[in-house]
Amino acid sequence: GESVGLHLPTLSVQEGDNSIINCAYSNSASDYFIWYKQESGKGPQFIIDIRSNMDKRQGQRVTVLLNKTVKHLSLQIAATQPGDSAVYFCAENDADSSYKLIFGSGTRLLVRP
Amino acid sequence: DSGVTQTPKHLITATGQRVTLRCSPRSGDLSVYWYQQSLDQGLQFLIQYYNGEERAKGNILERFSAQQFPDLHSELNLSSLELGDSALYFCASSVRDYNEQFFGPGTRLTVL
C-alpha cells in the first residue's frame, strides 16, 4: 500500500548503522517541529518533537537536531533496525496558525539486512 | 494503535458523488485535524476543529466541508467528487492546540 509519491528521496542503510534524515523547513518563524514515521498502509506515527528554544532533543534511539540559523532539522536513528524502514516526515507549525502543521515531502528509509 | 479511529477504511465511488468520512479522536482529545495525502502532494492540512468550533483552515476546497459534533467525533464531507480527489484522508487528534497530533489509519478514497 503506497502512501506517498514515487519520487521520494531514499536513504539506504545497513542494519545496525546509524541513520540521519535531513529536512529543510521554510518559515523562520516556525517554533515547533515534529518528526513522523509512516509505514506502508498506516497513518503517520509520532516519533519526537522539538521546540525552537532547544537545539537538540533525545528519545529512545532517536535524536532530533534543530539548526535555526539555516532552517534545518535532522533526525538521527541509532542502530537502525529493519522495523525502522518507513517514510519519515518532518513537520513545522505554521507560525500564522499555530494549530496547523506543514509537512515536508518525506524521505524513504530502507534498512538492508 | 494511536487511539484515533476512522471509517470507512476504503471507499470507492464515482465522479460527481458525495461521501462522508468519519473520525473519532482519542479519548480526551479536543482537537481534530483533517489531512489529505495524495501521491504527488504529500500530506496537506485541510481543516482543524477544537471542541466543536473551526479553528484553522488549510487549502480545503469549497466542495469539502467538515464539522465536529458535541461528542467530539468529526466528519469530512466531500462532494461533487473529481478524479483528483482520490487520495488518503487522515484524521489526527490532539489534547489541545499546539500539541503532538496522533493520526488515525486513514480512509483511502478512490474516485472512478
Side-chain angles (χ1 to χ4, degrees), chain A residues 3-39:
Chain A
S3 59
V4 293
L6 299 177
H7 303 292
L8 285 177
T10 299
L11 175 65
S12 179
V13 300
Q14 191 73 37
E15 181 179 356
D17 287 352
N18 296 333
S19 302
I20 300 177
I21 300 171
N22 296 303
C23 176
Y25 62 93
S26 56
N27 190 341
S28 56
S30 293
D31 57 1
Y32 179 60
F33 306 87
I34 303 182
W35 280 100
Y36 282 93
K37 170 187 180 184
Q38 187 174 24
E39 297 173 278

Side-chain angles (χ1 to χ4, degrees), chain A residues 1-5 31-32 34 36 38 41-44 46 49 51 89 93 97-101 103, chain B residues 9 33 35 37-39 43 45 48 55-58 88 90 97-105 108:
Chain A
E2 80 283 351
S3 59
V4 293
D31 57 1
Y32 179 60
I34 303 182
Y36 282 93
Q38 187 174 24
K42 297 184 179 180
F46 172 86
D49 60 1
R51 299 197 184 271
F89 294 96
N93 81 297
S97 165
S98 293
Y99 322 121
K100 182 172 80 174
L101 289 177
F103 281 80
Chain B
K9 190 172 176 61
Y33 311 77
Y35 291 86
Q37 187 175 42
S38 53
L39 283 178
L43 272 160
F45 169 76
Q48 182 215 352
R55 186 75 118 184
K57 224 170 184 177
L88 276 164
F90 288 104
D97 300 326
Y98 208 53
N99 252 78
E100 171 189 340
Q101 295 178 25
F102 293 86
F103 281 76
R108 180 175 292 280

Side-chain angles (χ1 to χ4, degrees), chain A residues 56-104:
Chain A
K56 180 178 180 178
R57 190 160 188 233
Q58 288 185 291
Q60 187 178 13
R61 279 201 311 119
V62 295
T63 301
V64 56
L65 298 178
L66 175 62
N67 185 330
K68 295 180 285 291
T69 302
V70 295
K71 294 189 287 185
H72 183 267
L73 198 63
S74 68
L75 176 70
Q76 301 178 0
I77 304 173
T80 313
Q81 302 168 0
D84 295 327
S85 292
V87 176
Y88 289 80
F89 294 96
C90 66
E92 61 181 300
N93 81 297
D94 179 348
D96 293 329
S97 165
S98 293
Y99 322 121
K100 182 172 80 174
L101 289 177
I102 299 173
F103 281 80

